[in-house]
Amino acid sequence: MCMSRMSIPLLAVISLALSHAYASGTIPHLAKTGDATQLIVDGHPFVMLAGELHNSSASRMAYMEPIWDKLTAMKLNTVLATVSWELVEPEEGRFDFSLLDGLIEGARAHDLKLVLLWFASWKNGVSSYIPVWVKRDLERFPRAQGPRGNNKDVLSPFHEASRQADARAFAAMMRHLRQVDGDEHTVLMVQVENEIGIMPESRDHRPAANRAFQSPVPQGLLDCL
C-alpha cells in the first residue's frame, strides 16, 4: 500500500483510538468471503443504503430536526454526516462533542447508522472548517502559497504544528466515539479528511514545499508508480 507522509500519522491515530474495539472483534469491519468483500456489523453482513447530508446540515441539531424523517421516508439505513473541527474544538484544548452526541442520538432514534466525514485541515481543497484560533495564527499554522508567494485558503501540509493540532482533535473525537458508541456501533465508518488538495494550483509553493518537491523521490514512492 502506498500512503502519503500526511496519511501515515493519521492512520496511526485511528489504530490507537480503535485498538480496544479491534481487540474485542466487534468493530464494524470489511471481511472477504470468496470473491466478495462485505461490511460486517455486529457479526452480520450490512448493506448501506446511504444518503449524504449537505456540508453544514449537521452544524446545529435544529437544522437536523426536519431532515431525519425525510431520510427514513427514503427508506435509507445510513446517513453520511459531517463533523467539523471548528465546532469540535472552538478553543484550543477544549472539546465540545454535543453536536456529535446529538447526531448519534438522532440516528439511533430513527434506526439509522452513521458514516462521519471529518471536515478539518481539508474540505474540497480549502481549509474553511478549521477553528478560528487556527485561522488567525498564520505563523504557527502557515497557509499553502501559490507560485507568486500569495497565501491560499488552505493549511500548508509541510508544517508539523498544523498536522499535530488536527490529529489531536481527531484522536479526541475517536476516543469519545469509543466511549459513547463502543457497544452500539451506530457509527460504521469515519472518513479521516475530505477532498484533500490545493485549488487551483497543483501544489504548495512555500519554501519547505519547494525543497521537498526538488528532492530525490524516495524509493518507496517509486515502487508505487
Side-chain angles (χ1 to χ4, degrees), residues 30-50:
L30 297 177
K32 193 169 182 62
T33 304
D35 295 331
T37 300
Q38 297 175 307
L39 173 62
I40 306 299
V41 180
D42 296 328
H44 302 284
F46 185 89
V47 177
M48 287 194 298
L49 303 177

Side-chain angles (χ1 to χ4, degrees), residues 1-3 216-225:
M1 179 182 292
C2 303
M3 293 182 287
V217 178
Q219 185 61 44
L221 290 180
L222 290 174
D223 294 340
C224 294
L225 300 178

Side-chain angles (χ1 to χ4, degrees), residues 80-102:
L80 280 64
T82 64
V83 179
S84 63
W85 182 12
E86 64 178 337
L87 298 179
V88 162
E89 193 180 10
E91 298 177 14
E92 186 170 8
R94 182 177 70 83
F95 297 103
D96 181 356
F97 296 111
S98 57
L99 285 172
L100 176 56
D101 292 342

Side-chain angles (χ1 to χ4, degrees), residues 4-192:
S4 70
R5 177 177 176 271
M6 289 292 291
S7 65
I8 293 173
L10 288 170
L11 288 176
V13 166
I14 298 174
S15 298
L16 289 172
L18 296 179
S19 59
H20 175 74
Y22 273 116
S24 67
T26 60
I27 188 174
H29 62 279
L30 297 177
K32 193 169 182 62
T33 304
D35 295 331
T37 300
Q38 297 175 307
L39 173 62
I40 306 299
V41 180
D42 296 328
H44 302 284
F46 185 89
V47 177
M48 287 194 298
L49 303 177
E52 183 172 356
L53 302 176
H54 290 297
N55 289 343
S56 298
S57 295
S59 62
R60 288 181 61 191
M61 286 301 98
Y63 294 158
M64 287 298 300
E65 287 181 7
I67 296 177
W68 292 116
D69 289 337
K70 294 179 181 179
L71 296 169
T72 55
M74 295 171 66
K75 307 302 182 184
L76 303 178
N77 61 16
T78 306
V79 184
L80 280 64
T82 64
V83 179
S84 63
W85 182 12
E86 64 178 337
L87 298 179
V88 162
E89 193 180 10
E91 298 177 14
E92 186 170 8
R94 182 177 70 83
F95 297 103
D96 181 356
F97 296 111
S98 57
L99 285 172
L100 176 56
D101 292 342
L103 277 176
I104 293 173
E105 292 169 4
R108 289 173 181 171
H110 293 83
D111 196 25
L112 293 166
K113 297 292 188 181
L114 290 170
V115 173
L116 300 180
L117 313 182
W118 177 239
F119 280 9
S121 295
W122 289 276
K123 197 286 168 192
N124 198 24
V126 293
S127 297
S128 52
Y129 287 84
I130 59 178
V132 172
W133 54 270
V134 175
K135 291 178 180 178
R136 288 176 174 171
D137 195 341
L138 296 178
E139 182 174 351
R140 184 181 169 196
F141 306 109
R143 302 301 185 266
Q145 291 184 341
R148 292 187 293 275
N150 55 306
N151 280 343
K152 310 298 294 183
D153 293 329
V154 58
L155 293 174
S156 172
F158 289 89
H159 290 268
E160 192 71 7
S162 300
R163 184 196 66 80
Q164 289 180 352
D166 187 336
R168 281 193 298 268
F170 184 81
M173 180 186 71
M174 297 303 289
R175 285 192 295 269
H176 183 77
L177 279 177
R178 185 173 64 186
Q179 293 171 358
V180 301
D181 195 47
D183 294 326
E184 295 197 38
H185 307 140
T186 304
V187 177
L188 301 180
M189 301 178 183
V190 179
Q191 185 185 58
V192 182

